[in-house]
Amino acid sequence: MEHHITSPDGTPASRFAFGTMQFGGKADEAAAHAMFEACLAAGVTHFDTAHIYTDGASETILGRLAAPVRDRLVIATKVGHASGASRATMLAQFDASRSRLGMDRVEVLYLHRFDPDTPLEETMETFAELRQRGQIDHVGLSNFAAWQVMKAACIAERMGFAISILQPMFNLVKRQAEVEILPMARAEGMVAACYSPLAGGLLTGKYARGEGGRITESRMYAARYAGDHLHRAAADLATIAREVAADPATLAVAWVAQHPLGAVPIISASTPAQLGPSLAALDFDMDPALFDRLSALIPAPPPATDRTEEL
Ligand SMILES: NC(=O)c1ccc[n+]([C@@H]2O[C@H](COP(=O)([O-])OP(=O)(O)OC[C@H]3O[C@@H](n4cnc5c(N)ncnc54)[C@H](OP(=O)(O)O)[C@@H]3O)[C@@H](O)[C@H]2O)c1
């Protein structure tokens, strides 16, 4: 069964989501407002935040911006990033999130990451309880391996609900999700909302131009995108973008959005000016030859069953 995520007034979740991880960080309230309005104008109705983002400012700002149009939005937040997925943690964090958002309920609640120290039964029971209370519509899992998702899905099924949406990392240079997560999501009818479609900004081409940003400022992102081959791929993407007269960010987001395994990019930006090229991907019709050319920038990961040589 395919899961359809809709807003309170029945508006379907948009083809792109917008991530508000920068709200209250690099994006102050005015910048957040401008980006929110640009998203609405482009038809984006799905907004993503998390309990952990910017010490709660992301949820607080999103809640204020969303209030006038709440009923036509899909709001997703996440609990359990650093402190595990016990019932007590999930309920306490979700209560804080609802209060910051100024919302009784949200359409999607994710567990932010797998917690090896809490039995999945306890986590799934907590999700079931929140569904029963009418505080969430859909259960999501982020940063889970496929076997962890399927284990959770089996437990959820016994409890009478399903995992509707996953949130893996996925972009032109980080393609692990192609191996198991995206095929599983497609087979199980789960939505795959993919974060970091620009590889945290690498795929904008700005690092090849010697400019700074998250990857030079954050040790975690510097480590994640340290490989020379990733930087070479970003430079090659910029060359192709010049050739086809498009922005590299537009190509990178469109590649995720038009991936045959069906991914919903969660776009984001630190400033309204940065957001334009990502939103432009909504209208960029990528022909199969260009899609293949971009796919060839980094070798595809081997399939889960390996034996690549025989394919
Ligand atoms: N579940 C998870 O664990 C997880 C993890 C990460 C993100 N997320 C979600 O996914 C959303 C998107 O992730 P992401 O922020 O990593 O996405 P991304 O699209 O890969 O990176 C966005 C960043 O790239 C830079 N950028 C974007 N457009 C640019 C442009 N035109 N020119 C120059 N730089 C540009 C900006 O960073 P700088 O200006 O700082 O360089 C911007 O904040 C987040 O907001 C969050 O909701 C979830």
Side-chain angles (χ1 to χ4, degrees):
M1 189 192 81
E2 204 169 321
H3 296 284
H4 295 286
I5 298 179
T6 55
S7 70
D9 74 0
T11 307
S14 42
R15 288 193 290 126
F16 287 14
F18 177 81
T20 63
M21 191 168 73
Q22 304 306 321
F23 283 12
K26 280 189 176 174
D28 63 14
E29 188 129 5
H33 192 177
M35 289 194 276
F36 182 78
E37 291 297 334
C39 284
L40 289 187
V44 174
T45 56
H46 176 175
F47 290 86
D48 184 81
T49 183
H51 178 269
I52 198 174
Y53 293 163
T54 51
D55 290 329
S58 169
E59 289 179 323
T60 304
I61 295 173
L62 175 61
R64 271 201 289 270
L65 295 173
V69 286
R70 169 67 184 102
D71 279 359
R72 63 180 166 105
L73 304 184
V74 168
I75 301 291
T77 191
K78 318 180 194 77
V79 293
H81 184 269
S83 36
S86 68
R87 177 177 183 276
T89 297
M90 288 175 69
L91 293 183
Q93 293 192 350
F94 186 51
D95 275 348
S97 292
R98 287 187 309 127
S99 150
R100 293 165 181 166
L101 284 162
M103 296 174 192
D104 290 339
R105 56 191 304 288
V106 296
E107 285 62 53
V108 177
L109 180 65
Y110 292 97
L111 181 61
H112 211 141
R113 51 153 55 144
F114 182 72
D115 172 14
D117 299 321
T118 300
L120 264 174
E121 283 76 5
E122 178 177 337
T123 303
M124 291 301 126
E125 259 166 28
T126 311
F127 275 126
E129 186 179 333
L130 291 172
R131 276 173 47 83
Q132 227 153 27
R133 289 186 200 171
Q135 291 178 341
I136 62 174
D137 287 344
H138 295 277
V139 173
L141 300 172
S142 182
N143 299 305
F144 267 51
W147 68 266
Q148 293 164 340
V149 173
M150 289 314 297
K151 197 171 165 184
C154 289
I155 297 168
E157 192 176 13
R158 287 205 300 273
M159 296 178 181
F161 68 100
I163 308 298
S164 315
I165 181 164
L166 304 177
Q167 190 171 134
M169 175 172 67
F170 182 52
N171 58 57
L172 258 170
V173 295
K174 288 281 188 183
R175 294 174 53 180
Q176 181 63 28
E178 273 174 41
V179 180
E180 299 235 57
I181 296 284
L182 296 180
M184 174 188 63
R186 166 147 289 191
E188 300 298 316
M190 299 165 180
V191 177
C194 298
Y195 71 80
S196 293
L198 297 179
L202 176 68
L203 298 175
T204 64
K206 66 178 173 179
Y207 296 98
R209 294 193 301 268
E211 295 166 26
R214 190 191 299 176
I215 290 173
T216 48
E217 294 156 1
S218 151
R219 199 182 296 176
M220 181 175 80
Y221 278 87
R224 193 179 298 169
Y225 293 107
D228 282 347
H229 63 300
L230 307 184
H231 284 260
R232 266 197 308 277
D236 291 346
L237 171 66
T239 305
I240 295 173
R242 270 192 299 277
E243 218 181 276
V244 302
D247 191 291
T250 304
L251 294 187
V253 173
W255 182 86
V256 171
Q258 290 172 39
H259 197 287
L261 287 171
V264 172
I266 310 177
I267 59 170
S268 191
S270 307
T271 65
Q274 282 185 356
L275 183 58
S278 287
L279 281 177
L282 275 164
D283 301 316
F284 190 90
D285 198 10
M286 187 174 292
D287 65 53
L290 180 55
F291 182 89
D292 290 346
R293 221 176 142 197
L294 299 186
S295 303
L297 289 171
I298 287 276
T305 45
D306 213 336
R307 300 182 63 163
T308 329
E309 303 75 13
E310 299 160 38
L311 293 176

